[in-house]
Amino acid sequence: MTVGDRHTPSTPRALTDPLLNHGVGFTEAEREALGLTGRLPAAVLTLDQQAERAYRQLQAQGTDLSKNVYLEQLHDRNEILYFKVLKDHLPELLPVVYDPTVGEAIEQYSHEYRQPRGVFLSIARPDDMEKAFATLELGPQDVDLIVCSDAEQILGIGDWGVGGIRISVGKLAVYTAAAGIDPSRVVAVSLDVGTDRESLLKDPLYLGNRFPRVRGAEYDAFIDKYLRTASSLFPDALLHFEDFGPGNARRILEKYRERYRIFNDDVQGTGAIALAAVLAAVKVSGVPMRDQRLVVFGSGTAGVGIADQLRDAMVRDGASKQKATAQIWLVDKQGLLTSDMTDLRDFQRPYARDPGEVADWAADGNGIRLLDTVRRAKPTILLGTSTVPGAFTQDVIETMAADTERPIILPLSNPTSRIEAMPADVIAWTKGKALVATGIPVDPLEYGGVTYRFGQANNALLYPGLGLGTVVANASRVTDGMLLAAAEAVAAQVDLSQPGAALLPPVDDLWESSAATATAVVRAAVGDGVAGNRPSDPARAVRERMWQPRYRSKEGAAA
């Protein structure tokens, strides 16, 4: 290439391809074979030494956002080193590479853009899909996992258009660091259908389609084409949907889950991790799953997704579907949902109460509120996905505890500023009786001589193992049985013998946790008759499939 009037040789691919680059980890023999003579300092460092230096550089960054940027630069330069650092420090770095810091990175995507990662599919050019995937130069059996997002409902920050590619990249990073999904066999996808965020549309540096978000028939045709194209080109890939809007997430899943190998973490993953917490709590409370009574406050995609999985668990424990459904009450902005409401979504309708059933319940101008729903429904489980801070008031919690010996209370909204109640308050208001899991990390609490620990309903406890198990089994679809197996495997990883024990395991060792979850998922896939691969030893098959971040010899390889 030419720089000014000087001519320099092109940089060998081994230094520019992040999947090939070892940096100063290349041995002298590899440097000779790859044409790197004189292109690197003399010292040869081990991967462990490089990881130690990279971690020190990371620690020198002043903010979590700058740490996120540093890690992405490392990701773009040396993928194996990136995953070595991430895997070795995953509990610390999980909130840096994913929620909540990835939200800041997405907001700054167009202004901090450095180089592309993933595939960008535009609704303005739907016929380019196959051509775009072809640029990856990957064959039909070369892809295990594709994460896509249309970025309409990113975490708690809403519509961020093309910046949503970072959510796909971040999710894949967790799959690899937590469960050993081979990073050379994954693809991040942006489904760019426009954006309704005015600040992006007016931003001259915005990198996505500069028109309002496309909806209706054209959107549906685009999603249909994506699924047909991706599944045709990569028939063994799990197609993971992430952060779609509530009007589309569940609808797409229900329409296509029997036809394609798809998974929606916001619906299925959130439901399964909440189910894991409930299964653990049920062991402590002694009330059978079939007899649980659930009030959900915040009845969008996530809340109803959880309700569905808890209802199905009641059915598996012996309740009829009609009885299980009748034991669930949904409360949203308009109060308790009743069947005469005109603004119900399709997925809310099965749980809407008959107006006659609740005619004598106290109501105000905003309908039947949470407190009276709890008073009359007498729930054993109170679950929050509302993002309404403080919604679980002392009156609500004390009313519930008056009728339930061991109330299961799950304020799952995050961040901390949006949580329905802090665990310390819930424990105090129930005099230590409540069984609590949260959507945020919470420190242990001393109360009444007991140390209470609070498991975080973090989807990272579940989806990496579920994905790995699906890949190992080569399951044709993700079944309810596989989701239940994943939830049960997570719940089995906690020791409930001590008072105040957490209902969910910590994220301290996601590698081992994901392996156990994946093994259970493989067995469930075989049992459900959807496994294309039926290993005689599922645990061994899972371990053998888990990719480790280490350098493979490049001696004799072409540059």
PDB file of all heavy atoms in Angstrom, residues 223 227 239 241 244 248-269 301 305 308-309 478 480 483:
ATOM      1  N   ILE A 223     -38.920 -10.214   8.273  1.00  0.00           N
ATOM      2  CA  ILE A 223     -38.600 -11.218   9.291  1.00  0.00           C
ATOM      3  C   ILE A 223     -38.730 -12.623   8.709  1.00  0.00           C
ATOM      4  O   ILE A 223     -37.886 -13.499   8.938  1.00  0.00           O
ATOM      5  CB  ILE A 223     -39.515 -11.068  10.525  1.00  0.00           C
ATOM      6  CG1 ILE A 223     -39.280  -9.713  11.209  1.00  0.00           C
ATOM      7  CG2 ILE A 223     -39.293 -12.214  11.501  1.00  0.00           C
ATOM      8  CD1 ILE A 223     -37.885  -9.501  11.739  1.00  0.00           C
ATOM      9  N   LEU A 227     -35.658 -15.423   8.443  1.00  0.00           N
ATOM     10  CA  LEU A 227     -35.702 -16.776   8.980  1.00  0.00           C
ATOM     11  C   LEU A 227     -35.491 -17.821   7.885  1.00  0.00           C
ATOM     12  O   LEU A 227     -34.755 -18.797   8.074  1.00  0.00           O
ATOM     13  CB  LEU A 227     -37.032 -17.010   9.694  1.00  0.00           C
ATOM     14  CG  LEU A 227     -37.144 -16.394  11.085  1.00  0.00           C
ATOM     15  CD1 LEU A 227     -38.590 -16.338  11.539  1.00  0.00           C
ATOM     16  CD2 LEU A 227     -36.300 -17.178  12.083  1.00  0.00           C
ATOM     17  N   LEU A 239     -31.243 -19.862  16.113  1.00  0.00           N
ATOM     18  CA  LEU A 239     -31.532 -18.472  15.763  1.00  0.00           C
ATOM     19  C   LEU A 239     -32.100 -17.764  16.989  1.00  0.00           C
ATOM     20  O   LEU A 239     -33.255 -17.968  17.364  1.00  0.00           O
ATOM     21  CB  LEU A 239     -32.518 -18.418  14.587  1.00  0.00           C
ATOM     22  CG  LEU A 239     -32.099 -19.214  13.341  1.00  0.00           C
ATOM     23  CD1 LEU A 239     -33.158 -19.092  12.250  1.00  0.00           C
ATOM     24  CD2 LEU A 239     -30.736 -18.778  12.826  1.00  0.00           C
ATOM     25  N   PHE A 241     -33.310 -14.562  19.052  1.00  0.00           N
ATOM     26  CA  PHE A 241     -33.900 -13.233  18.885  1.00  0.00           C
ATOM     27  C   PHE A 241     -33.730 -12.456  20.182  1.00  0.00           C
ATOM     28  O   PHE A 241     -34.005 -12.971  21.262  1.00  0.00           O
ATOM     29  CB  PHE A 241     -35.381 -13.350  18.531  1.00  0.00           C
ATOM     30  CG  PHE A 241     -35.654 -13.655  17.086  1.00  0.00           C
ATOM     31  CD1 PHE A 241     -35.196 -14.830  16.509  1.00  0.00           C
ATOM     32  CD2 PHE A 241     -36.367 -12.768  16.297  1.00  0.00           C
ATOM     33  CE1 PHE A 241     -35.442 -15.115  15.176  1.00  0.00           C
ATOM     34  CE2 PHE A 241     -36.619 -13.041  14.960  1.00  0.00           C
ATOM     35  CZ  PHE A 241     -36.148 -14.219  14.400  1.00  0.00           C
ATOM     36  N   PHE A 244     -36.458  -7.448  20.816  1.00  0.00           N
ATOM     37  CA  PHE A 244     -37.513  -7.004  19.915  1.00  0.00           C
ATOM     38  C   PHE A 244     -38.594  -6.320  20.749  1.00  0.00           C
ATOM     39  O   PHE A 244     -38.707  -6.555  21.950  1.00  0.00           O
ATOM     40  CB  PHE A 244     -38.108  -8.186  19.149  1.00  0.00           C
ATOM     41  CG  PHE A 244     -37.248  -8.654  18.006  1.00  0.00           C
ATOM     42  CD1 PHE A 244     -36.003  -9.221  18.230  1.00  0.00           C
ATOM     43  CD2 PHE A 244     -37.682  -8.508  16.702  1.00  0.00           C
ATOM     44  CE1 PHE A 244     -35.205  -9.633  17.188  1.00  0.00           C
ATOM     45  CE2 PHE A 244     -36.889  -8.929  15.637  1.00  0.00           C
ATOM     46  CZ  PHE A 244     -35.645  -9.489  15.881  1.00  0.00           C
ATOM     47  N   ASN A 248     -43.847  -7.435  18.844  1.00  0.00           N
ATOM     48  CA  ASN A 248     -43.301  -8.388  17.873  1.00  0.00           C
ATOM     49  C   ASN A 248     -42.646  -9.611  18.501  1.00  0.00           C
ATOM     50  O   ASN A 248     -42.689 -10.697  17.926  1.00  0.00           O
ATOM     51  CB  ASN A 248     -42.267  -7.685  16.975  1.00  0.00           C
ATOM     52  CG  ASN A 248     -42.891  -6.673  16.044  1.00  0.00           C
ATOM     53  OD1 ASN A 248     -43.961  -6.923  15.486  1.00  0.00           O
ATOM     54  ND2 ASN A 248     -42.259  -5.527  15.882  1.00  0.00           N
ATOM     55  N   ALA A 249     -42.008  -9.445  19.665  1.00  0.00           N
ATOM     56  CA  ALA A 249     -41.186 -10.516  20.223  1.00  0.00           C
ATOM     57  C   ALA A 249     -41.967 -11.813  20.371  1.00  0.00           C
ATOM     58  O   ALA A 249     -41.586 -12.858  19.830  1.00  0.00           O
ATOM     59  CB  ALA A 249     -40.613 -10.077  21.568  1.00  0.00           C
ATOM     60  N   ARG A 250     -43.062 -11.734  21.091  1.00  0.00           N
ATOM     61  CA  ARG A 250     -43.840 -12.937  21.361  1.00  0.00           C
ATOM     62  C   ARG A 250     -44.555 -13.438  20.109  1.00  0.00           C
ATOM     63  O   ARG A 250     -44.652 -14.648  19.873  1.00  0.00           O
ATOM     64  CB  ARG A 250     -44.833 -12.641  22.485  1.00  0.00           C
ATOM     65  CG  ARG A 250     -45.580 -13.852  22.984  1.00  0.00           C
ATOM     66  CD  ARG A 250     -46.611 -13.435  24.005  1.00  0.00           C
ATOM     67  NE  ARG A 250     -47.348 -14.568  24.491  1.00  0.00           N
ATOM     68  CZ  ARG A 250     -47.057 -15.228  25.600  1.00  0.00           C
ATOM     69  NH1 ARG A 250     -46.032 -14.871  26.329  1.00  0.00           N
ATOM     70  NH2 ARG A 250     -47.782 -16.262  25.980  1.00  0.00           N
ATOM     71  N   ARG A 251     -45.044 -12.509  19.309  1.00  0.00           N
ATOM     72  CA  ARG A 251     -45.769 -12.880  18.089  1.00  0.00           C
ATOM     73  C   ARG A 251     -44.871 -13.670  17.135  1.00  0.00           C
ATOM     74  O   ARG A 251     -45.278 -14.698  16.571  1.00  0.00           O
ATOM     75  CB  ARG A 251     -46.282 -11.603  17.410  1.00  0.00           C
ATOM     76  CG  ARG A 251     -47.108 -11.821  16.160  1.00  0.00           C
ATOM     77  CD  ARG A 251     -47.667 -10.489  15.690  1.00  0.00           C
ATOM     78  NE  ARG A 251     -46.612  -9.556  15.343  1.00  0.00           N
ATOM     79  CZ  ARG A 251     -46.024  -9.503  14.145  1.00  0.00           C
ATOM     80  NH1 ARG A 251     -46.381 -10.360  13.193  1.00  0.00           N
ATOM     81  NH2 ARG A 251     -45.088  -8.609  13.892  1.00  0.00           N
ATOM     82  N   ILE A 252     -43.638 -13.210  16.952  1.00  0.00           N
ATOM     83  CA  ILE A 252     -42.692 -13.903  16.074  1.00  0.00           C
ATOM     84  C   ILE A 252     -42.370 -15.285  16.630  1.00  0.00           C
ATOM     85  O   ILE A 252     -42.345 -16.280  15.899  1.00  0.00           O
ATOM     86  CB  ILE A 252     -41.412 -13.065  15.908  1.00  0.00           C
ATOM     87  CG1 ILE A 252     -41.712 -11.796  15.096  1.00  0.00           C
ATOM     88  CG2 ILE A 252     -40.309 -13.880  15.222  1.00  0.00           C
ATOM     89  CD1 ILE A 252     -40.576 -10.787  15.092  1.00  0.00           C
ATOM     90  N   LEU A 253     -42.147 -15.343  17.928  1.00  0.00           N
ATOM     91  CA  LEU A 253     -41.806 -16.618  18.553  1.00  0.00           C
ATOM     92  C   LEU A 253     -42.936 -17.629  18.370  1.00  0.00           C
ATOM     93  O   LEU A 253     -42.692 -18.782  17.968  1.00  0.00           O
ATOM     94  CB  LEU A 253     -41.529 -16.401  20.041  1.00  0.00           C
ATOM     95  CG  LEU A 253     -41.216 -17.650  20.864  1.00  0.00           C
ATOM     96  CD1 LEU A 253     -39.915 -18.283  20.403  1.00  0.00           C
ATOM     97  CD2 LEU A 253     -41.156 -17.308  22.348  1.00  0.00           C
ATOM     98  N   GLU A 254     -44.150 -17.217  18.660  1.00  0.00           N
ATOM     99  CA  GLU A 254     -45.272 -18.149  18.562  1.00  0.00           C
ATOM    100  C   GLU A 254     -45.544 -18.575  17.126  1.00  0.00           C
ATOM    101  O   GLU A 254     -45.933 -19.716  16.867  1.00  0.00           O
ATOM    102  CB  GLU A 254     -46.515 -17.516  19.177  1.00  0.00           C
ATOM    103  CG  GLU A 254     -46.419 -17.358  20.695  1.00  0.00           C
ATOM    104  CD  GLU A 254     -47.683 -16.800  21.305  1.00  0.00           C
ATOM    105  OE1 GLU A 254     -48.521 -16.270  20.555  1.00  0.00           O
ATOM    106  OE2 GLU A 254     -47.825 -16.885  22.537  1.00  0.00           O
ATOM    107  N   LYS A 255     -45.304 -17.679  16.186  1.00  0.00           N
ATOM    108  CA  LYS A 255     -45.563 -17.985  14.782  1.00  0.00           C
ATOM    109  C   LYS A 255     -44.559 -18.984  14.224  1.00  0.00           C
ATOM    110  O   LYS A 255     -44.919 -19.851  13.409  1.00  0.00           O
ATOM    111  CB  LYS A 255     -45.540 -16.696  13.959  1.00  0.00           C
ATOM    112  CG  LYS A 255     -45.824 -16.904  12.476  1.00  0.00           C
ATOM    113  CD  LYS A 255     -45.858 -15.572  11.738  1.00  0.00           C
ATOM    114  CE  LYS A 255     -46.148 -15.771  10.248  1.00  0.00           C
ATOM    115  NZ  LYS A 255     -46.195 -14.469   9.523  1.00  0.00           N
ATOM    116  N   TYR A 256     -43.311 -18.892  14.673  1.00  0.00           N
ATOM    117  CA  TYR A 256     -42.246 -19.639  13.995  1.00  0.00           C
ATOM    118  C   TYR A 256     -41.576 -20.728  14.835  1.00  0.00           C
ATOM    119  O   TYR A 256     -40.768 -21.488  14.300  1.00  0.00           O
ATOM    120  CB  TYR A 256     -41.168 -18.661  13.516  1.00  0.00           C
ATOM    121  CG  TYR A 256     -41.607 -17.747  12.408  1.00  0.00           C
ATOM    122  CD1 TYR A 256     -41.825 -16.394  12.651  1.00  0.00           C
ATOM    123  CD2 TYR A 256     -41.805 -18.218  11.110  1.00  0.00           C
ATOM    124  CE1 TYR A 256     -42.210 -15.534  11.630  1.00  0.00           C
ATOM    125  CE2 TYR A 256     -42.202 -17.380  10.089  1.00  0.00           C
ATOM    126  CZ  TYR A 256     -42.404 -16.028  10.351  1.00  0.00           C
ATOM    127  OH  TYR A 256     -42.797 -15.180   9.331  1.00  0.00           O
ATOM    128  N   ARG A 257     -41.869 -20.828  16.124  1.00  0.00           N
ATOM    129  CA  ARG A 257     -41.063 -21.725  16.965  1.00  0.00           C
ATOM    130  C   ARG A 257     -41.213 -23.199  16.611  1.00  0.00           C
ATOM    131  O   ARG A 257     -40.328 -24.008  16.914  1.00  0.00           O
ATOM    132  CB  ARG A 257     -41.363 -21.512  18.446  1.00  0.00           C
ATOM    133  CG  ARG A 257     -42.734 -21.914  18.904  1.00  0.00           C
ATOM    134  CD  ARG A 257     -42.868 -21.795  20.430  1.00  0.00           C
ATOM    135  NE  ARG A 257     -41.900 -22.630  21.133  1.00  0.00           N
ATOM    136  CZ  ARG A 257     -41.990 -22.922  22.414  1.00  0.00           C
ATOM    137  NH1 ARG A 257     -42.980 -22.424  23.139  1.00  0.00           N
ATOM    138  NH2 ARG A 257     -41.103 -23.712  22.993  1.00  0.00           N
ATOM    139  N   GLU A 258     -42.316 -23.582  15.972  1.00  0.00           N
ATOM    140  CA  GLU A 258     -42.478 -24.971  15.559  1.00  0.00           C
ATOM    141  C   GLU A 258     -41.820 -25.253  14.219  1.00  0.00           C
ATOM    142  O   GLU A 258     -41.627 -26.416  13.858  1.00  0.00           O
ATOM    143  CB  GLU A 258     -43.969 -25.335  15.484  1.00  0.00           C
ATOM    144  CG  GLU A 258     -44.713 -25.214  16.813  1.00  0.00           C
ATOM    145  CD  GLU A 258     -44.150 -26.145  17.873  1.00  0.00           C
ATOM    146  OE1 GLU A 258     -43.775 -27.280  17.528  1.00  0.00           O
ATOM    147  OE2 GLU A 258     -44.074 -25.729  19.050  1.00  0.00           O
ATOM    148  N   ARG A 259     -41.479 -24.195  13.474  1.00  0.00           N
ATOM    149  CA  ARG A 259     -40.877 -24.374  12.149  1.00  0.00           C
ATOM    150  C   ARG A 259     -39.374 -24.231  12.141  1.00  0.00           C
ATOM    151  O   ARG A 259     -38.682 -24.843  11.330  1.00  0.00           O
ATOM    152  CB  ARG A 259     -41.473 -23.342  11.175  1.00  0.00           C
ATOM    153  CG  ARG A 259     -42.751 -23.767  10.530  1.00  0.00           C
ATOM    154  CD  ARG A 259     -43.115 -22.816   9.418  1.00  0.00           C
ATOM    155  NE  ARG A 259     -43.918 -21.691   9.875  1.00  0.00           N
ATOM    156  CZ  ARG A 259     -44.192 -20.629   9.135  1.00  0.00           C
ATOM    157  NH1 ARG A 259     -43.680 -20.521   7.915  1.00  0.00           N
ATOM    158  NH2 ARG A 259     -44.942 -19.659   9.626  1.00  0.00           N
ATOM    159  N   TYR A 260     -38.860 -23.387  13.040  1.00  0.00           N
ATOM    160  CA  TYR A 260     -37.430 -23.079  13.030  1.00  0.00           C
ATOM    161  C   TYR A 260     -36.832 -23.291  14.411  1.00  0.00           C
ATOM    162  O   TYR A 260     -37.543 -23.323  15.420  1.00  0.00           O
ATOM    163  CB  TYR A 260     -37.204 -21.618  12.600  1.00  0.00           C
ATOM    164  CG  TYR A 260     -37.680 -21.299  11.211  1.00  0.00           C
ATOM    165  CD1 TYR A 260     -38.840 -20.547  11.008  1.00  0.00           C
ATOM    166  CD2 TYR A 260     -36.981 -21.732  10.086  1.00  0.00           C
ATOM    167  CE1 TYR A 260     -39.289 -20.235   9.728  1.00  0.00           C
ATOM    168  CE2 TYR A 260     -37.427 -21.433   8.796  1.00  0.00           C
ATOM    169  CZ  TYR A 260     -38.575 -20.684   8.635  1.00  0.00           C
ATOM    170  OH  TYR A 260     -39.014 -20.383   7.364  1.00  0.00           O
ATOM    171  N   ARG A 261     -35.520 -23.415  14.425  1.00  0.00           N
ATOM    172  CA  ARG A 261     -34.785 -23.555  15.686  1.00  0.00           C
ATOM    173  C   ARG A 261     -34.546 -22.153  16.238  1.00  0.00           C
ATOM    174  O   ARG A 261     -33.471 -21.585  16.116  1.00  0.00           O
ATOM    175  CB  ARG A 261     -33.473 -24.287  15.415  1.00  0.00           C
ATOM    176  CG  ARG A 261     -32.669 -24.644  16.649  1.00  0.00           C
ATOM    177  CD  ARG A 261     -31.306 -25.208  16.286  1.00  0.00           C
ATOM    178  NE  ARG A 261     -31.377 -26.545  15.733  1.00  0.00           N
ATOM    179  CZ  ARG A 261     -31.187 -26.854  14.452  1.00  0.00           C
ATOM    180  NH1 ARG A 261     -30.908 -25.903  13.568  1.00  0.00           N
ATOM    181  NH2 ARG A 261     -31.258 -28.096  14.041  1.00  0.00           N
ATOM    182  N   ILE A 262     -35.582 -21.555  16.863  1.00  0.00           N
ATOM    183  CA  ILE A 262     -35.462 -20.185  17.354  1.00  0.00           C
ATOM    184  C   ILE A 262     -35.663 -20.138  18.866  1.00  0.00           C
ATOM    185  O   ILE A 262     -36.289 -21.016  19.458  1.00  0.00           O
ATOM    186  CB  ILE A 262     -36.433 -19.216  16.648  1.00  0.00           C
ATOM    187  CG1 ILE A 262     -37.888 -19.524  17.011  1.00  0.00           C
ATOM    188  CG2 ILE A 262     -36.236 -19.248  15.144  1.00  0.00           C
ATOM    189  CD1 ILE A 262     -38.864 -18.496  16.466  1.00  0.00           C
ATOM    190  N   PHE A 263     -35.113 -19.072  19.449  1.00  0.00           N
ATOM    191  CA  PHE A 263     -35.170 -18.861  20.888  1.00  0.00           C
ATOM    192  C   PHE A 263     -35.221 -17.367  21.135  1.00  0.00           C
ATOM    193  O   PHE A 263     -34.458 -16.605  20.529  1.00  0.00           O
ATOM    194  CB  PHE A 263     -33.931 -19.480  21.546  1.00  0.00           C
ATOM    195  CG  PHE A 263     -33.717 -19.072  22.981  1.00  0.00           C
ATOM    196  CD1 PHE A 263     -34.579 -19.507  23.979  1.00  0.00           C
ATOM    197  CD2 PHE A 263     -32.645 -18.260  23.342  1.00  0.00           C
ATOM    198  CE1 PHE A 263     -34.374 -19.141  25.305  1.00  0.00           C
ATOM    199  CE2 PHE A 263     -32.433 -17.899  24.657  1.00  0.00           C
ATOM    200  CZ  PHE A 263     -33.303 -18.335  25.648  1.00  0.00           C
ATOM    201  N   ASN A 264     -36.137 -16.929  21.997  1.00  0.00           N
ATOM    202  CA  ASN A 264     -36.206 -15.519  22.372  1.00  0.00           C
ATOM    203  C   ASN A 264     -35.895 -15.409  23.854  1.00  0.00           C
ATOM    204  O   ASN A 264     -36.670 -15.858  24.697  1.00  0.00           O
ATOM    205  CB  ASN A 264     -37.591 -14.930  22.066  1.00  0.00           C
ATOM    206  CG  ASN A 264     -37.628 -13.431  22.295  1.00  0.00           C
ATOM    207  OD1 ASN A 264     -37.326 -12.948  23.371  1.00  0.00           O
ATOM    208  ND2 ASN A 264     -37.987 -12.687  21.255  1.00  0.00           N
ATOM    209  N   ASP A 265     -34.749 -14.825  24.176  1.00  0.00           N
ATOM    210  CA  ASP A 265     -34.307 -14.785  25.570  1.00  0.00           C
ATOM    211  C   ASP A 265     -35.217 -13.905  26.421  1.00  0.00           C
ATOM    212  O   ASP A 265     -35.430 -14.190  27.600  1.00  0.00           O
ATOM    213  CB  ASP A 265     -32.865 -14.285  25.645  1.00  0.00           C
ATOM    214  CG  ASP A 265     -32.281 -14.443  27.037  1.00  0.00           C
ATOM    215  OD1 ASP A 265     -32.496 -15.501  27.650  1.00  0.00           O
ATOM    216  OD2 ASP A 265     -31.616 -13.508  27.512  1.00  0.00           O
ATOM    217  N   ASP A 266     -35.756 -12.824  25.855  1.00  0.00           N
ATOM    218  CA  ASP A 266     -36.604 -11.921  26.625  1.00  0.00           C
ATOM    219  C   ASP A 266     -37.894 -12.600  27.057  1.00  0.00           C
ATOM    220  O   ASP A 266     -38.450 -12.285  28.123  1.00  0.00           O
ATOM    221  CB  ASP A 266     -36.928 -10.664  25.814  1.00  0.00           C
ATOM    222  CG  ASP A 266     -35.671  -9.960  25.348  1.00  0.00           C
ATOM    223  OD1 ASP A 266     -34.867  -9.584  26.211  1.00  0.00           O
ATOM    224  OD2 ASP A 266     -35.482  -9.815  24.134  1.00  0.00           O
ATOM    225  N   VAL A 267     -38.390 -13.528  26.245  1.00  0.00           N
ATOM    226  CA  VAL A 267     -39.621 -14.247  26.576  1.00  0.00           C
ATOM    227  C   VAL A 267     -39.283 -15.554  27.287  1.00  0.00           C
ATOM    228  O   VAL A 267     -39.663 -15.787  28.435  1.00  0.00           O
ATOM    229  CB  VAL A 267     -40.453 -14.525  25.308  1.00  0.00           C
ATOM    230  CG1 VAL A 267     -41.722 -15.301  25.663  1.00  0.00           C
ATOM    231  CG2 VAL A 267     -40.809 -13.224  24.599  1.00  0.00           C
ATOM    232  N   GLN A 268     -38.543 -16.430  26.601  1.00  0.00           N
ATOM    233  CA  GLN A 268     -38.297 -17.772  27.129  1.00  0.00           C
ATOM    234  C   GLN A 268     -37.210 -17.793  28.203  1.00  0.00           C
ATOM    235  O   GLN A 268     -37.338 -18.469  29.217  1.00  0.00           O
ATOM    236  CB  GLN A 268     -37.919 -18.710  25.981  1.00  0.00           C
ATOM    237  CG  GLN A 268     -39.052 -18.913  24.981  1.00  0.00           C
ATOM    238  CD  GLN A 268     -38.558 -19.533  23.688  1.00  0.00           C
ATOM    239  OE1 GLN A 268     -37.773 -18.928  22.961  1.00  0.00           O
ATOM    240  NE2 GLN A 268     -39.009 -20.742  23.405  1.00  0.00           N
ATOM    241  N   GLY A 269     -36.115 -17.069  27.971  1.00  0.00           N
ATOM    242  CA  GLY A 269     -35.029 -17.071  28.945  1.00  0.00           C
ATOM    243  C   GLY A 269     -35.437 -16.424  30.249  1.00  0.00           C
ATOM    244  O   GLY A 269     -35.161 -16.953  31.342  1.00  0.00           O
ATOM    245  N   THR A 301     -44.278  -8.383  27.673  1.00  0.00           N
ATOM    246  CA  THR A 301     -43.730  -9.615  27.119  1.00  0.00           C
ATOM    247  C   THR A 301     -43.033 -10.444  28.184  1.00  0.00           C
ATOM    248  O   THR A 301     -43.239 -11.659  28.282  1.00  0.00           O
ATOM    249  CB  THR A 301     -42.744  -9.276  25.990  1.00  0.00           C
ATOM    250  OG1 THR A 301     -43.440  -8.575  24.952  1.00  0.00           O
ATOM    251  CG2 THR A 301     -42.132 -10.529  25.410  1.00  0.00           C
ATOM    252  N   GLY A 305     -44.503 -13.854  29.734  1.00  0.00           N
ATOM    253  CA  GLY A 305     -43.644 -14.994  29.425  1.00  0.00           C
ATOM    254  C   GLY A 305     -43.341 -15.810  30.673  1.00  0.00           C
ATOM    255  O   GLY A 305     -43.341 -17.050  30.650  1.00  0.00           O
ATOM    256  N   ASP A 308     -46.534 -17.665  31.745  1.00  0.00           N
ATOM    257  CA  ASP A 308     -46.751 -18.865  30.926  1.00  0.00           C
ATOM    258  C   ASP A 308     -45.946 -20.051  31.454  1.00  0.00           C
ATOM    259  O   ASP A 308     -46.452 -21.177  31.551  1.00  0.00           O
ATOM    260  CB  ASP A 308     -46.353 -18.596  29.484  1.00  0.00           C
ATOM    261  CG  ASP A 308     -47.349 -17.729  28.738  1.00  0.00           C
ATOM    262  OD1 ASP A 308     -48.463 -17.512  29.248  1.00  0.00           O
ATOM    263  OD2 ASP A 308     -46.999 -17.259  27.635  1.00  0.00           O
ATOM    264  N   GLN A 309     -44.683 -19.788  31.774  1.00  0.00           N
ATOM    265  CA  GLN A 309     -43.837 -20.903  32.214  1.00  0.00           C
ATOM    266  C   GLN A 309     -44.246 -21.399  33.602  1.00  0.00           C
ATOM    267  O   GLN A 309     -44.210 -22.600  33.875  1.00  0.00           O
ATOM    268  CB  GLN A 309     -42.372 -20.488  32.184  1.00  0.00           C
ATOM    269  CG  GLN A 309     -41.905 -20.232  30.754  1.00  0.00           C
ATOM    270  CD  GLN A 309     -40.430 -20.510  30.530  1.00  0.00           C
ATOM    271  OE1 GLN A 309     -39.860 -21.389  31.149  1.00  0.00           O
ATOM    272  NE2 GLN A 309     -39.824 -19.749  29.651  1.00  0.00           N
ATOM    273  N   VAL A 478     -36.436 -25.592  19.987  1.00  0.00           N
ATOM    274  CA  VAL A 478     -36.310 -25.457  21.438  1.00  0.00           C
ATOM    275  C   VAL A 478     -37.678 -25.744  22.049  1.00  0.00           C
ATOM    276  O   VAL A 478     -38.616 -24.972  21.866  1.00  0.00           O
ATOM    277  CB  VAL A 478     -35.819 -24.049  21.822  1.00  0.00           C
ATOM    278  CG1 VAL A 478     -35.764 -23.896  23.343  1.00  0.00           C
ATOM    279  CG2 VAL A 478     -34.455 -23.765  21.210  1.00  0.00           C
ATOM    280  N   ASP A 480     -40.535 -26.793  25.164  1.00  0.00           N
ATOM    281  CA  ASP A 480     -40.837 -26.420  26.553  1.00  0.00           C
ATOM    282  C   ASP A 480     -40.103 -27.332  27.521  1.00  0.00           C
ATOM    283  O   ASP A 480     -39.683 -26.899  28.600  1.00  0.00           O
ATOM    284  CB  ASP A 480     -42.346 -26.490  26.797  1.00  0.00           C
ATOM    285  CG  ASP A 480     -43.110 -25.397  26.070  1.00  0.00           C
ATOM    286  OD1 ASP A 480     -42.483 -24.372  25.715  1.00  0.00           O
ATOM    287  OD2 ASP A 480     -44.323 -25.570  25.842  1.00  0.00           O
ATOM    288  N   LEU A 483     -36.619 -26.037  28.012  1.00  0.00           N
ATOM    289  CA  LEU A 483     -36.625 -24.858  28.883  1.00  0.00           C
ATOM    290  C   LEU A 483     -36.800 -25.265  30.345  1.00  0.00           C
ATOM    291  O   LEU A 483     -36.125 -24.740  31.243  1.00  0.00           O
ATOM    292  CB  LEU A 483     -37.735 -23.899  28.466  1.00  0.00           C
ATOM    293  CG  LEU A 483     -37.536 -23.188  27.121  1.00  0.00           C
ATOM    294  CD1 LEU A 483     -38.837 -22.557  26.655  1.00  0.00           C
ATOM    295  CD2 LEU A 483     -36.453 -22.128  27.232  1.00  0.00           C
TER     296      LEU A 483
END
